[in-house]
Amino acid sequence: MTSDLSIRIGGDAGQGIESAGAALARAFARSGLHVFATQDYRSRIRGGHNFYQVRAAQAAVEAQRDPPEVLLAFTRETVDIHIDRLAPGAGILYDASLPVDAGALHARGLAPMPVPLTKIAADHGSRVMTNIAGLGALAGVVGFPLARIDAVLREEFAAKGPEVVRPNLAVAEAARRYAATTYPDFVHRVPRGDARPRLLLHGNHALALGAVAAGCRFIAAYPMTPATTILEYMAAIGAEEGIVAKHAEDEIAAVCMAIGAGFAGARAMTATSGGGFSLMAEALGLAGMAEVPVVIVDVQRGGPSTGLPTRTEQADLLFAIHASQGEFPRIVLAPGTVPECFEAGWRAFNLADRYQCPVIVLSDLYLAGSLVTVEPVSLDWASVEVDRGELIDGGALDPDADGYRRFAITESGISPRALPGSPAAVYAAPSDEHTEDGHITEEIHNRVAMMKKRMRKEDTALRNSIRGPARYGQESARITLVCWGSTLGAAREAAALLSADGEPAAVLHFPDLWPFPVEAATEALTSAGLAIGVEQNFTGQLAKLIRMMTGRQLDGRILAYDGRPFAPADIVQAVHRVLAGESDVHIEPGEQRLPAETEVGVNV
Amino acid sequence: MSDARDEFDLALKPTWCPGCGDFGILSAVKDALTTLAISPHEALVVSGIGCGSKLPDYMHANGFMTLHGRPLAVATGAKLANHALHVIVVDGDGDAYGIGGNHFIHTVRRNPDITHIVEDNQIYALTKGQYSPTTPQGKVTTTSPEGAIERPVNPVALALAMGATFVARGFAGEPHHLSGLIQLAIRHPGYALVDVLQPCVVFNRAQSYDWYRQRIYKLEETGHDARDPAAAGTVAREWEERIPIGVIYAEEGVPAYEAQLPALQPGPLTARAGPSATRFEQLIARFR
Ligand SMILES: Cc1ncc(C[n+]2csc(CCOP(=O)(O)OP(=O)(O)O)c2C)c(N)n1
Ligand code: SF4
């Protein structure tokens, strides 16, 4: 029995690929397996091919793994597209009616396993249940108890009534029996789980749950892949949890609404992707100038412009750090895993309140959309701290005093904040430069003092709240992979593979990117051996930032901008190229080229 | 005008030019709030950027001077976070109908309980005299040296077309009348537009106090039925010869946006903390 199995399910949009894949992932998770499941929406090829990949393992997994051992193909094209990217001896399950040349597959050392999926679906239910037949057949060949899948299907179809549930289960069982008896000797079997309950969720949901736990009461956003599920989740639970989720007319309105809500005193956020974040640039400065706490999530996708709408990238880092005119304090976080998304979800609100400034959380499509099993303790309510910073009770202020100085100059740069609504705390916040009591002025001494006051908040944050890079693996490894964001999972696995192969490697991951933790970074890089940046962008933005802030030039850079997530094996190969003397390794496409006329773009 | 408006007064002197229509608007705002017995801490005055948008700096009330074109969005967020506040937006015609045009359209149809006072001087004044969305066709300005080509926006007609539930026009030269309109607008439970004819004595000398005085008439003196959409549509299109001021349209019984949000039924968001452990556990359980 393998301890780590990857299954790819491919077909046309509309064939129920995603629902089948997600059901399989959940069934695996409930059996106590560690799961990583990710969807690959492809710019529409003919019927709109896409695939879903589910990895099930006995140990924790934080990345997808290629090549898969099983392909479940709902179209002939799926076989053609993926045939070169399968593990030796991989099984290919497909509908017996598809014109697939089984002999040719055999000749390549693959195991063709035709099953009359459509016929079974039609005989026991209806043709629309072909994807369910596929799941049943899969369970049959990899030896996974169908009851686990049944339970998930029952829940999924519960709302539709028993007359929908029953045939689906019958279809799954018939396909399982057929496949199990026809292909009893298939070598790749699903590992056995430890039956411990875990959660299965993606980064966007984890981030939203973190926000909810922190007491976020307001989100305004404009739909944009891959951020949309954050707004949708908040909207879905809004009525029961008392959260206002506003679909705004555009991203400028969205961030401005969040700033208005934050100004009034609610914990408020917005979520978007790079295009929307670009539109928010001016308002970012408003939050900086008026010292309004607000959380802005940028779930990155392939750029520039509309770019690769359904693909992943990490190319907004330097923009997030510099966006908007002028200079003002801001905080930029970049969680690397689903549990870190949860933590960033609540921590961002504390930092926004504590430093009364915008906090940007950088996520990406891969992290936002991949389903991962996590231990319940990493999403524990009790681990959530709520710190509203120097929020003062306006009602307790002395109404006869000289007047409330909202922007009082302090040593920390943080001015005690009273919310609008108390007689003694009345003030107006301008986006113009202003005095301590909030009146517009261009007076030179005031200007200098106010700039210093606001910027001091970054120093205070750096001293008290910002985390240095986290090291995974041994201290003085020969190789250190330097990364940020969702690259962490693949980098850690790559480091483990390299270490196992006699090349001791560690990972240095930056969870907090601004204010940049200069001292901690400098120190960590001193004992990093050969430091190689691993980033999903063209220009090596973290490497640039490190150089800008510490003077340290990384020894190599592994860069991918193909929109596909790193697989650990990609990184291992690239590291060998760096060891062989290349300083910059650009990941080249491993897939076969598709005919140009079949690539049709989609805008999302 | 009532004399009790010192509550809202500040020692700070406005930087507006002597004779600017914004003075009349400021005193009307203060007077309306005083008459309605709304205190400075119960009101939130949100503005954009422009001459008129400096208004919150010149009165004692909660205020937020935001970005050019964005006050409606900021105000909407503040209102949704704390609907106990009386939220008033003041901005110029460039701010409201030009750069903020998209927010204007959507705020009107959204109908939050926000009073929107537009200081409509038909010019970009703070940037020294470029044509604005309400500048008459043919007018020569620094950015329309051959005369403005575009047809002007008719803000009151546009608001009606977007389903506004309260539309009025006032005149900065009649602050007492304007105060009355602002009071009605504040009491209206939904979005209320008060487009104010505001003389700019520096960059728009054509539309002077006298120019307006010769043309304006008061709708309430004509028996205009503000509940009648057809009548409202007719008077909304009047301009040049005769310019109506007063309440053009007022529709009752339409609930405000925030009144329809289940999340706001227990009260303002600002007063509420996060979920209990049990509630949160229920949310998490859905990911098992
Ligand atoms: C994004 C942005 N663009 C341009 C400006 C410059 N600007 C400031 S006020 C203004 C126009 C003012 O006109 P209006 O809103 O009608 O107000 P008024 O000054 O006439 O009262 C412009 C273009 C700005 N502040 N921000
Ligand atoms: S320029 Fe015009 S609008 Fe601006 S303050 Fe002077 S008179 Fe008023």
Side-chain angles (χ1 to χ4, degrees):
Chain A
M1 189 185 299
T2 21
S3 63
D4 188 347
L5 182 77
S6 283
I7 298 169
R8 190 173 282 187
I9 306 174
D12 282 348
Q15 283 187 313
I17 308 302
E18 195 200 346
S19 58
L24 188 66
R26 190 154 308 278
F28 282 163
R30 288 196 186 157
S31 76
L33 284 163
H34 293 265
V35 173
F36 191 97
T38 188
Q39 187 174 16
D40 185 293
Y41 306 88
R42 191 165 285 260
S43 294
R44 312 172 75 211
I45 303 156
R46 288 176 224 159
H49 172 78
N50 58 49
F51 69 87
Y52 203 93
Q53 188 151 319
V54 184
R55 177 180 183 188
Q58 282 174 326
V61 284
E62 281 174 0
Q64 67 172 26
R65 185 179 54 73
D66 282 337
E69 288 82 17
V70 185
L71 175 69
L72 169 57
F74 288 105
T75 59
R76 147 84 194 277
E77 188 191 30
T78 305
V79 178
D80 294 345
I81 290 175
H82 299 283
I83 191 163
D84 289 335
R85 303 268 287 175
L86 298 175
I92 305 185
L93 268 171
Y94 57 92
D95 193 329
S97 69
L98 294 175
V100 172
D101 182 353
L105 296 181
H106 264 304
R108 283 169 166 260
L110 299 169
M113 298 187 283
V115 175
L117 300 174
T118 323
K119 185 172 182 309
I120 291 174
D123 289 352
H124 297 265
S126 94
R127 285 177 65 97
V128 297
M129 297 169 191
T130 302
N131 63 337
I132 303 297
L135 277 187
L138 237 169
V141 298
V142 301
F144 185 68
L146 190 64
R148 294 275 185 196
I149 296 178
D150 283 354
V152 174
L153 295 180
R154 241 183 242 118
E155 282 168 32
E156 214 116 289
F157 297 127
K160 296 184 180 165
E163 52 298 341
V164 172
V165 176
R166 216 174 305 114
N168 270 292
L169 300 187
V171 166
E173 169 53 19
R176 184 205 62 80
R177 201 176 332 116
Y178 182 100
T181 46
T182 317
Y183 310 106
D185 304 323
F186 181 57
V187 288
H188 297 291
R189 312 285 285 181
V190 77
R192 195 179 305 282
D194 61 9
R196 285 184 44 185
R198 292 187 183 85
L199 305 171
L200 181 72
L201 76 172
H202 57 54
N204 273 0
H205 280 156
L207 207 149
L209 285 165
V212 172
C216 170
R217 289 280 169 202
F218 185 87
I219 178 169
Y222 187 83
M224 187 171 190
T225 301
T228 312
T229 50
I230 297 177
L231 175 63
E232 286 176 334
Y233 178 71
M234 299 293 255
I237 64 162
E240 49 173 322
E241 293 304 317
I243 295 167
V244 171
K246 183 77 196 83
H247 171 165
E249 59 267 28
D250 56 37
E251 286 89 348
I252 300 177
V255 69
C256 285
M257 286 179 187
I259 290 170
F263 172 80
R267 287 198 142 180
M269 70 182 290
T270 181
T272 184
S273 189
F277 182 66
S278 297
L279 290 180
M280 297 180 182
E282 190 192 17
L284 198 64
L286 171 64
M289 187 59 143
E291 306 202 36
V292 176
V294 64
V295 173
I296 301 170
V297 181
D298 173 5
V299 189
Q300 303 158 95
R301 69 189 206 187
S305 192
T306 309
L308 299 172
T310 63
R311 300 277 170 195
T312 199
E313 197 166 86
Q314 306 177 292
D316 296 354
L317 169 57
L318 293 178
F319 179 52
I321 284 170
H322 294 122
S324 206
Q325 71 272 27
E327 296 160 307
F328 55 89
R330 75 183 79 200
I331 291 170
V332 181
L333 310 178
T337 62
V338 168
E340 284 186 16
C341 282
F342 177 72
E343 195 200 24
W346 58 261
R347 193 169 158 246
F349 286 92
N350 290 347
L351 295 173
D353 267 337
R354 218 179 278 162
Y355 300 104
Q356 301 174 12
C357 72
V359 175
I360 299 160
V361 183
L362 286 174
S363 177
D364 61 52
L365 181 139
Y366 182 53
L367 182 57
S370 301
L371 288 173
V372 189
T373 37
V374 299
E375 302 296 336
V377 323
S378 48
L379 266 69
D380 188 5
W381 183 84
S383 70
V384 177
E385 297 156 27
V386 174
D387 172 5
R388 298 226 47 186
E390 296 193 32
L391 194 61
I392 53 173
D393 175 10
L397 290 172
D398 178 4
D400 298 324
D402 220 11
Y404 170 55
R405 290 179 308 134
R406 164 66 187 96
F407 304 102
I409 291 176
T410 61
E411 211 167 300
S412 64
I414 301 164
S415 316
R417 181 166 86 113
L419 303 180
S422 299
V426 169
Y427 75 99
S431 67
D432 285 72
E433 187 57 273
H434 45 264
T435 58
E436 288 182 274
D437 58 358
H439 285 289
I440 296 175
T441 179
E442 298 191 354
E443 199 280 321
I444 183 168
H445 296 96
N446 178 83
R447 163 65 176 182
V448 171
M450 276 297 169
M451 278 300 290
K452 285 183 177 166
K453 167 201 129 57
R454 285 190 297 268
M455 296 313 286
R456 264 202 303 278
K457 294 194 289 185
E458 282 198 353
D459 301 336
T460 308
L462 209 44
R463 262 198 318 278
N464 299 332
S465 306
I466 296 299
R467 298 173 181 171
R471 185 188 301 275
Y472 299 87
Q474 69 203 73
E475 178 97 3
S476 42
R478 183 170 162 227
I479 300 163
T480 298
L481 303 175
V482 182
C483 63
W484 63 285
S486 72
T487 306
L488 175 62
R492 283 184 67 181
E493 257 190 78
L497 291 171
L498 286 163
S499 302
D501 226 23
E503 289 289 1
V507 172
L508 202 61
H509 181 259
F510 284 77
D512 293 1
L513 291 159
W514 198 265
F516 191 76
V518 177
E519 278 176 35
T522 308
E523 198 186 309
L525 285 164
T526 314
S527 52
L530 199 70
I532 305 172
V534 185
E535 298 184 61
Q536 219 132 28
N537 57 54
F538 191 95
T539 53
Q541 299 194 13
L542 175 63
K544 274 193 194 176
L545 182 63
I546 290 173
R547 176 119 197 249
M548 177 173 96
M549 299 305 294
T550 70
R552 166 78 143 100
Q553 168 129 20
L554 297 187
D555 305 300
R557 300 184 308 174
I558 298 171
L559 303 166
Y561 37 87
D562 54 12
R564 276 66 172 174
F566 277 118
D570 296 342
I571 299 176
V572 171
Q573 267 183 19
V575 167
H576 284 299
R577 284 171 61 187
V578 174
L579 291 176
E582 282 181 66
S583 63
D584 275 3
V585 177
H586 289 239
I587 301 287
E588 298 295 333
E591 296 172 31
Q592 68 182 73
R593 188 185 300 279
L594 292 161
E597 68 273 13
T598 62
E599 275 280 2
V600 182
V602 282
N603 293 341
V604 202
Chain B
M1 304 282 280
S2 96
D3 337 307
R5 63 196 142 93
D6 21 309
E7 232 198 328
F8 293 95
D9 285 349
L10 281 179
L12 210 73
K13 267 184 59 183
T15 54
W16 292 318
C17 311
C20 174
D22 289 334
F23 285 102
I25 298 175
L26 175 62
S27 72
V29 170
K30 291 180 183 176
D31 186 70
L33 289 169
T34 307
T35 311
L36 293 176
I38 295 170
S39 297
H41 69 279
E42 296 167 332
L44 170 62
V45 187
V46 183
S47 71
I49 298 297
C51 285
S53 288
K54 291 182 183 171
L55 186 144
D57 205 27
Y58 306 141
M59 66 184 285
H60 181 69
N62 298 309
F64 197 172
M65 289 163 269
T66 69
L67 298 170
H68 191 36
R70 315 302 167 201
L72 282 175
V74 173
T76 299
K79 183 73 187 179
L80 295 177
N82 185 359
H83 56 270
L85 291 170
H86 294 278
V87 178
I88 297 166
V89 170
V90 276
D91 61 350
D93 44 295
D95 200 281
Y97 309 136
I99 189 167
N102 197 33
H103 308 309
F104 173 61
I105 287 172
H106 294 284
T107 308
V108 170
R109 65 184 192 87
R110 185 172 296 142
N111 198 38
D113 187 7
I114 288 175
T115 298
H116 188 191
I117 301 166
V118 181
E119 301 143 308
D120 189 353
N121 55 12
Q122 297 157 48
I123 199 79
Y124 280 30
L126 191 65
T127 44
K128 303 195 172 204
Q130 302 79 22
Y131 75 105
S132 92
T134 50
T135 298
Q137 245 179 331
K139 185 173 171 80
V140 172
T141 74
T142 56
T143 50
S144 57
E146 288 85 34
I149 295 169
E150 290 121 306
R151 293 179 177 185
V153 166
N154 178 334
V156 290
L158 178 58
L160 288 177
M162 296 318 301
T165 52
F166 185 99
V167 178
R169 186 190 281 124
F171 174 42
E174 295 220 20
H176 183 68
H177 179 255
L178 178 58
S179 167
L181 293 178
I182 295 173
Q183 289 167 42
L184 290 172
I186 291 174
R187 281 167 48 197
H188 175 75
Y191 172 85
L193 174 66
V194 185
D195 182 75
V196 186
L197 307 171
Q198 178 234 323
C200 166
V201 296
V202 177
F203 296 110
N204 183 7
R205 298 202 184 169
Q207 267 84 37
S208 64
Y209 286 93
D210 279 347
W211 189 90
Y212 283 121
R213 285 211 175 92
Q214 283 155 20
R215 288 164 174 81
I216 56 172
Y217 74 96
K218 293 188 176 130
L219 284 169
E220 57 274 23
E221 290 168 4
T222 65
H224 169 67
D225 182 359
R227 288 164 306 181
D228 178 357
T234 307
V235 297
R237 281 191 299 277
E238 282 187 67
W239 191 254
E240 278 305 327
E241 308 296 290
R242 273 165 58 80
I243 302 176
I245 61 171
V247 178
I248 293 170
Y249 185 62
E251 184 177 345
E252 279 166 33
V254 182
Y257 182 85
E258 63 275 14
Q260 301 177 65
L261 290 179
L264 294 185
Q265 298 316 310
L269 298 178
T270 43
R272 281 185 267 157
S276 67
T278 334
R279 276 206 89 94
F280 190 69
E281 195 40 54
Q282 287 163 358
L283 291 177
I284 290 284
R286 294 176 205 168
F287 295 94
R288 286 254 145 79

